[in-house]
Amino acid sequence: MSTQATRLPDSGQALDRTRPLSFTFEGRRMEGFAGDSLAAALLANRQTVLGRSFKYHRPRGLWGIGAEEPNAILDVRFPDGRHDPVARATLVPLEDGLVVKTVHGWPSAGRDLFGFLDRLHPLIPAGFYYKTFIRPDWHLFEPRIRQMAGLGVVPATPEPLQRAQVHGQADLLVVGAGPAGLAAALAAARQGVRVVLADDQPAPGGQLLVDPVEIEGMPAADWIAAVADELAGRPNVTLLPSTTALGLFDHGLAVLAERRAMPAGFAPERIWKLRAARTVLATGAIERPLVFPDNDRPGVMSAFAARAYLARHGILAGRSPVVLTNNEAGRRTAEALAAAGAGPVIVDLRADALPHPAIPTHVGAAATAVHGRKGVSGVVVEPLGGGGRIEIGCDLLAAAGGWTPTVHLHMHDGGRLRFDEALDGFVPDGAARASVTVGAANGVMDTAGCLRDGHRAGQAAGGGAGDGQAPRAAREPPWQQAIWRKLDRPKARQWVDYQNDVTSKDVGLAVQENYVSVEHLKRYTTLGMATDQGKTSNLNGLALLADQLGKPVPAVGTTTFRPPFTPVSFAGIAGSRRGAMLTPLRLLSAHGEHVRAGAVFEDYGGWSRPAFYPKGEERREAAIAREVLAVRHGVALFDGSPLGKIEVGGRDAATFLDRLYYHRLSDLKVGRVRYVFLLTEHGKLYDDGVVARLAEDRFLLSPSSSHAAGVHAMVEEWRQTGWPELEVVASNVTTAWATFAVTGPKARSVVARLPVAADLSAKALPHMGFVQTELDGVPLRIARVSFTGELSFEFSVPAAYGPALYRRLADLGRPERIVPLGSEALLILRAEKGYVLIGRDTDGNSEPQDLGVTAPMRSKQHDFVGRRSLLRPVSRDPGRLELVGLVNSVADEAIPTGAHMYERQEDGTRRSRGYVTSAYRSPTLSHPIALAILADGRALQAAGAEVDLFHLGRTYRARVVSPVFYDPAGERLRG
């Protein structure tokens, strides 16, 4: 037996009745057909309550048929593994096997235990969040409030499907395939213009699919089919059905979301980034609600939506409907429902309207109450001029409050608006930057006018050389509407924003509390901030605000229209740009060797590098400690290939580097290396590293791994724009060379077995020495630099030879039991030695003197990058954060990274005076150590002071010491 109680037999032009589909809603099995939206299928199954409202948890039912829908926001799980926790049911094509549940209501939308909040509505008006829960602390209440008010639960697991993206170009983009859009696309295409026609519905036609008229002497359906066939047959036209324009941006960029069948492994939504020379916006208009008491009941629906569900899906939303209207469009709904077998009653707010000849009509009257909690059961009607109450039993209230042009994309493109008094709405005031708006979106509300408007825009896009005759449509009755009326019912709640529970009283309260700007009204009441972004509520809210202020609506203005037009998933925006496709994780040239050595890899600045090398069942901490001790007492092999390598050459290379770096480099001898700082123009530390002099006119810069690209960019900036007169060239060769360090007191024994011609003795190659030689005919660079504080040799070969050199060094070190060294152990080794990581052991205000390095300021007389900034008084201010070491006063208790030194203020609060930047347990020293930047740190160190540190509710006591915990004289690294 079919569950589709409201579906009429043999009707519904959008349906394929040969393809029945089934789905579940709240655990109950339901049926529909191919061509249905999820909303249509739920309506066909007579599901009146689809969710609960944001604040009061009032029952909410289906209102609209498109992007304007404020109520039917559902949790949808798709058969292919997708999960949309905030799906708008009107925009979800029905699929076999959908699992649907409400997002707001527990345990279900029909029986929500939080529905009692509606009875407390006098206690929780607009703005109550800002006035309550302040004490003792808002954060105590926040999680529960967010849980109750939230819409959906974000999936815990990543989406299994990829999202495709397309880049395209066109001469003309037409958004909307209603009569205006079809006319514009046809006129332009016939002139040879490259046209993209996008529409958010599966089939073209727009309102013609619901309200057909004769065009060019033929039924609207035949005219639509003829135009669609002609456009599809033209090679210069791309048709994009089921495609929503999310936004217009600078330089003609439009972002579109297309829903289509995709290959296995891809979600059916793909994002278009389309650049068009010109855009025609034929986005139509949205029927807006009327504001009257109890107008949020399930079963109160847009009159156009009721008519559209009947025409497109064969669904009779009510057998005994009441149509409340202020314009002729509402009467058209009543006629359509009557023709389908319903018994409608018309309630027309216009006092001068004539009664309908065939349908019972109440003229000059309004609905003043709606009965029924989980579905409309009756309406109270009262004459606006005074008179008795009329009770009308009904199962549907279809409201027609007029038409609001869809001007969102026009505003995205920098357009302006004017208020049309006859339409009672805002319409575009001329063209925007790269777009023109036509049809109903332009305030043209008849088919003939839409066709003319669209045709004119299409002609202009092609230079006006085509056929000048617009398609002709049969004449229609006028849809002139009256300005909506505000009912004087002080005790009744009249809803403006359905999803966010904003009433007319809330608008009045905002004005009473002096929130008179439309943007302040939006934020104080949350009007228009729901997922429908005010498509149904904004204009009514503006009119209410204007009424409260005694101003005309245009004087109040509008809120800002921002993209996207409808919500889009983050996965759709990202597309395939995630994981390695977003930030490709680079592999070391010797990656395979590390895999064979059992390395555990982690991401270090975009490089997949060994973090540590566990042996057997060894845990992380034990493996790292073992590697640290191997360096201190034996020898280890470290892959440092990501270290920056930038070659700078030319006649003026030394002069250039003197101007660029904090340290002098022009007096560096060939074959020697110097530790240097690179500053920003503001005198702040940007990077530290070493520079080797390869020849009189050639240097090798070695910045830190994370700053390699940034340093190269800075070199190029100053070379090209700062001192273009200098003869200098620079090349980033970081990835061209593989670098391996042999480090530890037994390193020389390993290196001595390497058959190279160069003399590697301590005298010939001292600490901070550099030599270029060969190994079996392969270029080899050897540097005596150390980041561990032990005797170290860095070997660099062309990257292709990296794996071979790594294996060879490992083999040569076997007699000394050489161990592979991971990055985590290296971090501890450098902290024991007091070597800083710029950006970790410094902050954005750190300068060289804060690390105790001041000699270059005294010795360099000429200018360099950042020098003038270092001369400012602030650089000499007391209280600067200076690098120090810390040892906990409690033995063997670690000081956490991020702990702040503080001083107590008079009011009892804590004021930070610096913080811990790096903290580790030192295997070498057998106790925890930390580096920190503290106010007047060197003075605290000299006094051996103890300081209090605060972190996550705990206080620690620590002694300030030198940041160099190990071998302060540097004897071990000289070897």
Side-chain angles (χ1 to χ4, degrees):
M1 173 181 271
S2 174
T3 62
Q4 303 179 65
T6 64
R7 185 90 72 180
L8 300 177
D10 303 321
S11 63
Q13 54 189 261
L15 301 182
D16 181 356
R17 290 181 179 264
T18 66
R19 294 175 56 202
L21 305 173
S22 66
F23 66 103
T24 62
F25 176 67
E26 297 285 272
R28 299 189 302 278
R29 183 181 178 277
M30 299 180 181
E31 297 174 348
F33 293 105
D36 270 332
S37 66
L38 176 57
L42 289 167
L43 186 62
N45 285 267
R46 198 180 282 170
Q47 292 300 308
T48 55
V49 179
L50 301 181
R52 293 282 172 155
S53 62
F54 175 79
K55 185 163 62 174
Y56 300 128
H57 282 248
R58 286 172 64 88
R60 289 286 188 263
L62 189 62
W63 161 263
I65 194 170
E68 78 283 0
E69 172 56 40
N71 296 331
I73 312 299
L74 301 172
D75 182 292
V76 180
R77 293 182 182 273
F78 297 84
D80 60 7
R82 284 175 294 140
H83 176 203
D84 189 341
V86 283
R88 198 174 307 279
T90 52
L91 301 181
V92 177
L94 188 64
E95 297 181 32
D96 201 40
L98 290 182
V99 177
V100 185
K101 63 180 181 179
T102 184
V103 299
H104 217 175
W106 185 83
S108 67
R111 183 174 173 269
D112 182 12
L113 295 184
F114 292 106
F116 73 91
L117 290 171
D118 190 37
R119 300 177 184 178
L120 304 178
H121 70 86
L123 303 177
I124 46 177
F128 89 100
Y129 289 117
Y130 308 122
K131 304 171 186 176
T132 53
F133 308 121
I134 298 173
R135 292 181 177 85
D137 188 347
W138 153 255
H139 296 95
L140 296 176
F141 308 98
E142 181 184 16
R144 188 60 177 164
I145 291 174
R146 291 193 181 279
Q147 181 182 10
M148 292 174 62
L151 285 176
V153 178
V154 176
T157 56
E159 187 180 70
L161 304 176
Q162 293 288 333
R163 301 265 181 162
Q165 293 191 351
V166 182
H167 292 261
Q169 292 183 330
D171 298 321
L172 177 67
L173 167 64
V174 179
V175 180
L182 289 173
L186 187 63
R190 285 175 174 173
Q191 299 177 75
V193 174
R194 291 183 304 157
V195 177
V196 172
L197 175 60
D199 188 83
D200 64 356
Q201 296 300 311
Q207 188 149 342
L208 294 176
L209 300 175
V210 179
D211 300 314
V213 298
E214 278 198 358
I215 301 177
E216 296 290 289
M218 66 179 81
D222 294 344
W223 181 80
I224 294 169
V227 173
D229 287 345
E230 180 176 343
L231 292 174
R234 288 183 173 272
N236 59 320
V237 176
T238 300
L239 300 178
L240 295 178
S242 301
T243 300
T244 302
L246 300 175
L248 295 185
F249 303 89
D250 292 341
H251 311 297
L253 174 64
V255 178
L256 316 172
E258 180 189 15
R259 300 175 298 280
R260 56 171 288 168
M262 294 292 289
F266 282 84
E269 178 188 65
R270 66 176 182 177
I271 299 295
W272 281 74
K273 296 180 180 179
L274 183 73
R275 293 198 182 272
R278 193 71 177 160
T279 300
V280 170
L281 302 175
T283 47
I286 295 171
E287 188 170 59
R288 62 177 172 262
L290 287 163
V291 180
F292 58 92
D294 302 321
N295 59 333
D296 69 323
R297 304 280 193 199
V300 176
M301 178 182 289
S302 157
F304 173 74
R307 191 162 79 249
Y309 283 118
L310 178 61
R312 300 285 292 143
H313 301 278
I315 297 170
L316 187 59
R319 291 284 177 179
S320 53
V322 168
V323 179
L324 179 65
T325 183
N326 65 6
N327 64 87
E328 291 299 316
R331 294 194 170 206
R332 182 172 289 188
T333 294
E335 293 167 353
L337 294 174
V345 174
I346 297 174
V347 179
D348 199 321
L349 282 82
R350 298 172 298 177
D352 56 352
L354 296 175
H356 194 282
I359 299 175
T361 307
H362 298 273
V363 174
T368 58
V370 182
H371 299 314
R373 179 165 176 77
K374 296 184 179 180
V376 172
S377 61
V379 176
V380 177
V381 174
E382 297 182 34
L384 290 169
R389 291 160 50 97
I390 303 170
E391 294 272 356
I392 304 175
C394 63
D395 57 0
L396 171 70
L397 197 160
W403 297 91
T404 302
T406 306
V407 296
H408 302 66
L409 297 178
H410 169 80
M411 297 299 287
H412 294 177
D413 199 31
R416 301 177 67 86
L417 300 177
R418 61 179 176 82
F419 192 76
D420 188 312
E421 295 286 349
L423 188 64
D424 193 22
F426 287 95
V427 297
D429 187 11
R433 285 191 298 257
S435 64
V436 60
T437 304
V438 299
N442 196 34
V444 180
M445 292 297 169
D446 65 294
T447 302
C450 288
L451 291 170
R452 288 193 301 271
D453 213 20
H455 180 81
R456 190 181 306 118
Q459 284 283 94
D467 180 10
Q469 183 65 49
R472 294 181 295 271
R475 193 170 182 183
E476 300 169 278
W479 284 19
Q480 185 70 29
Q481 64 193 53
I483 293 177
W484 70 280
R485 303 166 190 267
K486 173 174 171 280
L487 297 176
D488 186 17
R489 295 290 186 274
K491 293 186 179 180
R493 285 188 288 173
Q494 304 179 49
W495 304 90
V496 183
D497 188 313
Y498 291 140
Q499 192 180 117
N500 275 359
D501 274 336
V502 180
T503 67
S504 58
K505 287 183 179 179
D506 293 330
V507 178
L509 178 62
V511 174
Q512 181 180 334
E513 300 198 2
N514 206 33
Y515 289 94
V516 295
S517 163
V518 64
E519 293 289 358
H520 291 164
L521 170 72
K522 175 178 178 179
R523 283 152 183 82
Y524 182 76
T525 64
T526 68
L527 174 70
M529 293 175 65
T531 59
D532 68 318
Q533 286 293 287
K535 292 180 177 65
T536 58
S537 61
N538 267 359
L539 192 55
N540 284 336
L542 297 176
L544 282 165
L545 178 62
D547 183 72
Q548 290 282 338
L549 296 175
K551 295 180 179 180
V553 175
V556 172
T558 65
T559 55
T560 303
F561 295 84
R562 295 185 178 92
F565 174 70
T566 58
V568 59
S569 68
F570 286 120
I573 295 172
S576 60
R577 298 191 309 277
R578 58 184 180 182
M581 294 295 289
L582 174 63
T583 305
L585 200 58
R586 292 174 289 183
L587 302 182
L588 303 169
S589 64
H591 181 80
E593 303 303 319
H594 301 305
V595 171
R596 281 186 280 275
V600 174
F601 293 91
E602 293 181 7
D603 182 351
Y604 294 88
W607 287 89
S608 180
R609 301 177 67 174
F612 57 97
Y613 300 80
K615 286 186 175 181
E617 299 299 319
E618 196 174 36
R619 300 177 70 87
R620 179 188 181 99
E621 293 77 10
I624 294 171
R626 176 179 50 78
E627 292 171 19
V628 169
L629 295 175
V631 172
R632 294 296 183 221
H633 303 296
V635 64
L637 177 59
F638 176 73
D639 190 336
S641 298
L643 287 169
K645 306 171 192 72
I646 302 168
E647 294 188 8
V648 175
R651 186 184 64 184
D652 299 317
T655 300
F656 173 79
L657 294 178
D658 268 357
R659 296 181 184 179
L660 185 67
Y661 276 94
Y662 178 65
H663 294 77
R664 184 189 298 276
L665 288 166
S666 57
D667 61 352
L668 182 64
K669 295 180 179 180
V670 175
R672 297 294 293 171
V673 179
R674 182 166 294 166
Y675 178 70
V676 292
F677 286 159
L678 183 62
L679 311 182
T680 68
E681 291 180 77
H682 304 100
K684 310 305 177 187
L685 287 164
Y686 178 75
D687 184 62
D688 67 339
V690 296
V691 174
R693 192 161 195 168
L694 309 182
E696 287 297 325
D697 60 351
R698 193 165 164 225
F699 294 80
L700 176 65
L701 318 184
S702 184
S704 58
S705 303
S706 58
H707 288 145
V711 171
H712 180 240
M714 189 178 292
V715 167
E716 284 298 325
E717 179 183 3
W718 285 101
R719 186 183 71 82
Q720 296 180 37
T721 64
W723 309 295
E725 73 280 3
L726 298 182
E727 293 186 10
V728 178
V729 294
S731 300
N732 187 353
V733 296
T734 299
T735 57
W737 293 80
T739 300
F740 308 104
V742 177
T743 180
K746 298 180 181 179
R748 191 173 297 282
S749 299
V750 177
V751 171
R753 301 187 183 102
L754 203 62
V756 295
D759 184 355
L760 304 184
S761 65
K763 183 176 180 180
L765 185 64
H767 179 60
M768 302 301 276
F770 185 93
V771 65
Q772 299 184 84
T773 183
E774 289 186 351
L775 175 62
D776 297 338
V778 176
L780 176 67
R781 293 172 172 175
I782 307 174
R784 278 286 314 280
V785 293
S786 175
F787 199 51
T788 65
E790 300 291 344
L791 171 66
S792 299
F793 295 81
E794 279 191 3
F795 298 92
S796 297
V797 293
Y801 296 94
L805 179 59
Y806 187 88
R807 287 193 299 270
R808 190 161 188 176
L809 291 172
D811 289 340
L812 293 176
R814 279 202 179 93
E816 279 72 34
R817 297 184 178 180
I818 194 169
V819 302
L821 176 65
S823 294
E824 292 302 305
L826 182 69
L827 292 175
I828 296 176
L829 290 162
R830 65 92 196 172
E832 291 175 344
K833 187 61 179 171
Y835 293 152
V836 299
L837 291 177
I838 301 297
R840 177 167 180 171
D841 299 308
T842 62
D843 66 7
N845 288 315
S846 297
E847 296 177 357
Q849 70 274 13
D850 302 327
L851 302 186
V853 181
T854 58
M857 277 296 292
R858 298 190 301 270
S859 61
K860 287 182 72 171
Q861 300 303 314
H862 58 77
D863 203 6
F864 57 86
V865 174
R867 182 176 188 273
R868 280 171 287 182
S869 296
L870 295 179
L871 298 175
R872 295 175 302 170
V874 69
S875 296
R876 298 184 294 276
D877 278 351
R880 290 190 62 84
L881 301 185
E882 298 170 337
L883 181 71
V884 295
L886 293 174
V887 176
N888 201 322
S889 300
V890 178
D892 214 35
E893 182 181 52
I895 301 172
T897 300
H900 281 255
M901 182 181 81
Y902 65 89
E903 63 181 22
R904 287 197 178 274
Q905 305 291 92
E906 291 182 1
D907 60 0
T909 59
R910 297 181 178 92
R911 177 191 175 199
S912 175
R913 299 289 286 163
Y915 61 94
V916 177
T917 59
S918 299
Y920 309 95
R921 175 174 178 79
S922 168
T924 306
L925 305 176
S926 300
H927 63 75
I929 61 172
L931 298 177
I933 48 175
L934 305 182
D936 297 320
R938 284 194 292 278
L940 294 173
Q941 175 188 327
E946 289 195 344
V947 297
D948 287 327
L949 301 162
F950 182 79
H951 183 74
L952 297 179
R954 281 198 60 189
T955 299
Y956 300 83
R957 188 77 171 166
R959 181 165 49 89
V960 183
V961 299
S962 166
V964 184
F965 297 94
Y966 176 77
D967 187 27
E971 296 174 353
R972 294 181 65 88
L973 54 80
R974 291 183 170 83

